Amino acid sequence: MGYPSVFPAGTTIYNKDKAYSGYTIFPSAKGALLIDMNGDEVQLWAGLGGFPNKILPGGYVLGTTGSRKGKFAYQDQIDLVQVDWDGKIVWKFDRTERVADPGTDPVYMARQHHDFQREGSTTGYYYPGGEPKTDGGNTLILTHENRYNREISDKLLIDDKIIEVDWEGNIVWSWRASDHFDEFGFDEAAKNVLSRNPGLHGAAGGDWLHINSMSTLGENKWFDAGDERFHPDNIIFDARNANILGIISKKTGEVVYRLGPDFNENDQTKKLGWIIGQHHFHLIPKGLPGEGDFLVFDNGGEGGYGNPNPGALTGVNNARRDYSRVLQFNPITLEITWQYTPLEAGWLLFTDASKFYSSYISAAQRLPNGNTLITEGSDGRLIEVTPDHEIVWEYINPYFNRIGGKFTNNMVYRAYRVPYEWVPQAERRELKSIVPPAIETFRIPGASAGAGTGRVTAVAGVDPQKSTPTRFQDKTDGEDERIDFCVASVKKSDLEQVDKKRQE
């Protein structure tokens, strides 16, 4: 899909009767930005980075104050901090490792990346009964550690490490991914590829797994029914570069549940379809609609290691798909219980599938009213959709990152919605529904009046309502709706079968 140079930004759709209204926080080019449903900026914590930003009850925000620079750095954050409404740092952690890059003075840093979780919450977002601590408690932090593991490769690895720190900054628990290499399910072809190229990023090392989300499971029906894999303290994670989703035993460190890296593994995974390059894999918390199901933004794009193919001559990123899916599915049966794909987004032809597509970053949050907040990250687009897939809120990030004075992107790594009560300092404003204008008449002011199409000429013998080559029309063929496009006639049921085959 072509990307226009100018387009509406801010809130473009808001149905206040159907949306779950509250405040939304996301990392912008300006800092941690809190907006209301009309897109008005409630608070900006200027310069506060977010990998991601999370807001806690009382108007506290978690984020970072800087990132590691240089050729030995790869997505490492200097610290993780908690600031209050007025920007005062009330908690800080930067003691994962003392880093001494060549040519620089040694410095302690957190090496945090992609995720963290404060005690009292599970997913890191709002749910009834969740009470993340703001003046104490432990914090789970996803970090990096460089090391060699000859079982994986003779190259330096950027290893993923999860640590738990107390309020005083002491590391009280840790888990290192490379210690569990044999538990990730790589076949011999994948191991051979990993040995040669474990996701190399120059002097920084090989980002072989790229874990991008982790959170504790919390109370859930599976553990209540006796499944020990779902112990509330266990940690759910996903590894984007390897197409792996799993659960770690907090007690033993063992990977006790795994999906991927091969989604042709059995009939259940084949029906679920390949999950590729995914983000924000988590268990829907107790108290929210769909509780106990998995929810994940299945990016598509590319990922995985295995046999070379025409799209991946080296065997790195050997699985590819050019559209995204948001999937909710049963952890035991792997049955999809809800999804948002290009078809649900309204794109009927498979050639338009890429119009719901973010090949990197992105997220999904289940809201208390059953709606889902989706971060289509690469386009800076946030949407709230109902269970019936109606978009009831849409926001386009208006702030672009710049490199060398040039616009690069308006990406949003991950957004979160919280209730008004979590931010008592903010002044509640009167909100109004926003009905988007008709595309046919919407114009930039001064460019065109945007009213009508000019002179209309009828063509002899042609009914424009029944024979327009560039529009879809509905017909009835028994009980099967048909869609006409130019001279091609396609059954809707056939399109659904094509979509199903494409997922497989």
Side-chain angles (χ1 to χ4, degrees):
M1 180 174 67
Y3 203 66
S5 299
V6 180
F7 49 87
T11 298
T12 55
I13 299 172
Y14 175 42
N15 185 330
K16 63 183 299 183
D17 295 325
K18 292 185 177 182
Y20 176 77
S21 295
Y23 296 123
T24 303
I25 191 165
F26 65 92
S28 75
K30 297 170 64 178
L33 185 59
L34 187 71
I35 61 172
D36 65 18
M37 300 300 290
N38 281 158
D40 290 329
E41 298 181 8
V42 176
Q43 171 89 327
L44 172 70
W45 287 268
L48 184 66
F51 209 11
N53 290 124
K54 296 185 182 182
I55 194 162
L56 305 178
Y60 294 98
V61 172
L62 288 156
T64 64
T65 66
S67 58
R68 182 182 177 188
K69 308 299 182 184
K71 66 179 182 179
F72 299 97
Y74 184 70
Q75 300 187 327
D76 290 347
Q77 304 304 298
I78 298 294
D79 55 20
L80 180 64
V81 300
Q82 177 182 325
V83 304
D84 64 15
W85 183 254
D86 297 317
K88 178 184 177 182
I89 295 177
V90 298
W91 178 83
K92 177 178 180 178
F93 176 77
D94 62 357
R95 294 273 162 166
T96 300
E97 182 182 342
R98 191 168 184 261
V99 176
D101 288 332
T104 65
D105 294 330
V107 61
Y108 278 103
M109 63 179 64
R111 299 197 69 183
Q112 181 269 335
H113 69 96
H114 285 94
D115 219 344
F116 51 83
Q117 178 193 316
R118 175 58 56 76
E119 183 180 347
S121 172
T122 57
T123 57
Y125 63 68
Y126 172 76
Y127 59 94
E131 298 181 356
K133 296 185 177 181
T134 60
D135 57 359
N138 291 1
T139 305
L140 279 178
I141 307 176
L142 182 57
T143 69
H144 281 146
E145 178 178 290
N146 288 97
R147 71 193 305 256
Y148 287 95
N149 185 322
R150 306 292 176 177
E151 185 181 7
I152 301 172
S153 175
D154 61 357
K155 314 294 192 300
L156 179 67
L157 301 178
I158 306 173
D159 209 6
D160 288 304
K161 185 177 180 180
I162 301 172
I163 62 174
E164 181 178 3
V165 302
D166 62 20
W167 187 256
E168 288 73 34
N170 302 302
I171 299 176
V172 297
W173 180 88
S174 66
W175 176 91
R176 187 186 296 112
S178 63
D179 292 340
H180 302 272
F181 179 60
D182 288 338
E183 299 168 18
F184 289 115
F186 292 113
D187 61 19
E188 287 304 312
K191 289 179 179 178
N192 288 336
V193 173
L194 271 166
S195 178
R196 294 190 298 273
N197 182 356
L200 293 173
H201 288 274
D207 186 27
W208 69 289
L209 279 184
H210 194 95
I211 293 178
N212 62 41
S213 71
M214 60 95 220
S215 58
T216 54
L217 291 172
E219 295 182 9
N220 63 85
K221 62 184 180 182
W222 310 113
F223 180 74
D224 292 344
D227 194 331
E228 289 290 334
R229 298 175 300 174
F230 292 83
H231 190 286
D233 292 339
N234 286 356
I235 298 168
I236 186 171
F237 74 96
D238 75 72
R240 179 249 176 276
N241 284 4
N243 301 338
I244 292 174
L245 309 89
I247 297 173
I248 302 162
S249 167
K250 180 73 180 303
K251 183 177 180 180
T252 68
E254 179 187 1
V255 178
V256 294
Y257 182 105
R258 176 179 55 79
L259 285 173
D262 179 8
F263 286 86
N264 286 332
E265 190 172 14
N266 55 54
D267 290 341
Q268 286 180 305
T269 55
K270 287 178 180 178
K271 187 174 181 180
L272 178 65
W274 277 75
I275 295 176
I276 302 171
Q278 71 289 331
H279 283 74
H280 202 204
F281 178 53
H282 63 276
L283 193 75
I284 298 175
K286 193 171 185 178
L288 292 178
E291 63 177 67
D293 278 355
F294 287 147
L295 188 63
V296 64
F297 192 102
D298 174 15
N299 294 71
E302 57 186 27
Y305 304 96
N307 288 316
N309 60 54
L313 297 179
T314 66
V316 177
N317 294 325
N318 74 325
R320 299 188 176 216
R321 190 187 69 235
D322 291 328
Y323 66 92
S324 298
R325 308 186 294 169
V326 176
L327 297 179
Q328 175 187 332
F329 60 98
N330 184 299
I332 309 303
T333 66
L334 305 189
E335 290 289 331
I336 296 174
T337 52
W338 184 84
Q339 63 181 349
Y340 191 80
T341 74
L343 195 63
E344 284 79 23
W347 303 106
L348 291 175
L349 292 183
F350 67 89
T351 50
D352 287 324
S354 62
K355 291 180 180 177
F356 178 65
Y357 185 29
S358 177
S359 64
Y360 60 98
I361 58 178
S362 307
Q365 174 188 348
R366 180 54 43 83
L367 300 170
N369 65 350
N371 292 352
T372 304
L373 177 66
I374 298 172
T375 304
E376 191 180 348
S378 64
D379 295 331
R381 180 176 181 241
L382 314 178
I383 57 174
E384 179 182 341
V385 300
T386 67
D388 294 328
H389 310 111
E390 178 186 356
I391 297 176
V392 294
W393 183 77
E394 179 183 65
Y395 176 88
I396 309 300
N397 178 20
Y399 299 111
F400 278 68
N401 298 292
R402 295 171 182 252
I403 297 178
K406 296 182 178 180
F407 290 116
T408 55
N409 60 66
N410 64 335
M411 60 175 276
V412 174
Y413 172 59
R414 191 189 297 175
Y416 288 101
R417 176 76 48 77
V418 297
Y420 294 118
E421 308 84 71
W422 276 30
V423 192
Q425 301 92 335
E427 180 182 353
R428 289 277 299 273
R429 306 175 188 180
E430 181 181 356
L431 301 177
K432 298 180 180 180
S433 290
I434 296 174
V435 179
I439 298 297
E440 303 90 63
T441 58
F442 180 69
R443 302 291 187 275
I444 292 176
S448 170
T453 58
R455 183 171 180 269
V456 178
T457 302
V459 177
V462 175
D463 184 345
Q465 298 303 314
K466 294 183 179 180
S467 181
T468 306
T470 57
R471 69 184 295 179
F472 290 101
Q473 301 170 33
D474 296 341
K475 289 185 178 182
T476 300
D477 181 16
E479 295 183 354
D480 194 6
E481 180 184 358
R482 299 178 71 88
I483 309 296
D484 285 358
F485 182 67
C486 296
V487 296
S489 181
V490 184
K491 289 185 179 181
K492 184 178 180 181
S493 58
D494 291 343
L495 289 172
E496 291 171 344
Q497 285 296 114
V498 169
D499 185 71
K500 180 179 178 182
K501 291 293 185 183
R502 186 172 65 249
Q503 292 176 17
E504 293 174 353

